Amino acid sequence: RGWLRAWAQEQLPDGFAVDVHFKPKYDPWDQRLCAVPDGDLFAALSSGRASVVTDTIQRFTAGGVLLSSGEELKADLIVTATGFTLQVMGGAELVVDGEPVAFSERMAYKGMMLSGVPNSAFTVGYTNSSWTLKADLVSEYVCRILNYMDAGGYTVQVPRADPAMERHALLDFGAGYIQRSIDELPKQGAAWPWRLRMNYVADVLSIRHGALADSAMEFRRPHAKPD
């Protein structure tokens, strides 16, 4: 945190309010880190071509945005890039055996499948790295599962969670868009494969190269009844 502040200060003019605008109350990766590889933002601030205001928004006004401090920012155009609420599965409704699936009551298997929901997968990327790194691993895993099912003559795969398993929030991430939806998200357990990890190296080993069949995953052939 100190290193990031010092790095920003080096690229800004003397007297710039670094602690107001570039020293957030949260630690790096408690919320997503914004990178400026070529420093163009700091160059624009230093030249006066751009300015930064750090505050919270109270409401929109006819001429711009009213901040909690009482200051009004005049604006010709407002780009809304914050304040959204996550929509689980994009708003899709899942139904299993005629019963709607309540996402918040399900467990996340390997961070990509829902307990008791067959033949489905979703992606939750990394909050401490590139989101697409995990998306790629999920895609590879789904392909591995499909090939495994084809080879074994299976038509159904479904993860089964122990009802007595300890349950935790799916994401430990302080961003507002996560916290506003956290109660609607599936839960995670205390240990793999029910634990969502934010570790690419560990996921490469277990998702890309790990076994597909385990005690939590059920595979069924046509006309076979669940246990």
Side-chain angles (χ1 to χ4, degrees):
R1 182 174 180 176
W3 181 86
L4 291 173
R5 179 194 176 280
W7 182 73
Q9 187 173 32
E10 288 177 2
Q11 301 185 74
L12 292 166
D14 293 340
F16 191 92
V18 176
D19 286 343
V20 175
H21 303 302
F22 293 101
K23 187 182 178 182
K25 60 184 179 180
Y26 50 84
D27 290 330
W29 296 119
D30 281 352
Q31 297 197 27
R32 281 195 168 273
L33 192 66
C34 295
V36 189
D38 57 3
D40 57 348
L41 170 63
F42 300 108
L45 292 173
S46 298
S47 68
R49 291 184 292 112
S51 61
V52 59
V53 176
T54 300
D55 206 330
T56 55
I57 297 172
Q58 187 174 59
R59 60 180 173 85
F60 289 105
T61 66
V65 173
L66 180 65
L67 303 177
S68 298
S69 63
E71 179 184 1
E72 183 180 12
L73 292 181
K74 299 295 184 180
D76 296 318
L77 178 67
I78 297 173
V79 179
T80 55
T82 187
F84 68 90
T85 300
L86 287 176
Q87 191 174 42
V88 184
M89 298 293 185
E93 180 182 2
L94 301 186
V95 178
V96 176
D97 295 332
E99 295 294 328
V101 174
F103 299 115
S104 61
E105 297 176 3
R106 304 289 174 152
M107 300 290 288
Y109 173 82
K110 297 186 177 180
M112 68 175 82
M113 297 179 179
L114 296 176
S115 59
V117 178
N119 299 354
S120 67
F122 59 91
T123 298
V124 175
Y126 298 115
T127 58
N128 60 0
S129 187
S130 169
W131 190 271
T132 52
L133 286 175
K134 182 63 176 291
D136 286 347
L137 289 178
V138 171
S139 298
E140 290 181 33
Y141 187 85
V142 169
C143 290
R144 291 182 65 208
I145 282 282
L146 292 174
N147 290 335
Y148 179 86
M149 293 174 68
D150 284 344
Y154 300 109
T155 56
V156 175
Q157 61 82 26
V158 56
R160 299 289 187 188
D162 182 349
M165 185 188 305
E166 185 178 343
R167 294 173 176 246
H168 302 274
L170 183 64
L171 292 167
D172 181 16
F173 193 48
Y177 66 92
I178 295 293
Q179 294 304 311
R180 284 189 291 274
S181 304
I182 197 69
D183 291 338
E184 300 176 20
L185 298 178
K187 301 298 186 290
Q188 66 172 326
W192 185 260
W194 299 102
R195 187 73 179 171
L196 178 64
R197 298 184 300 207
M198 295 296 164
N199 186 320
Y200 178 68
V201 174
D203 281 345
V204 165
L205 294 175
S206 57
I207 294 177
R208 179 176 290 166
H209 301 293
L212 296 174
D214 59 29
S215 60
M217 179 63 77
E218 174 186 322
F219 292 95
R220 295 204 305 268
R221 294 184 172 88
H223 311 301
K225 295 182 179 180
D227 294 336

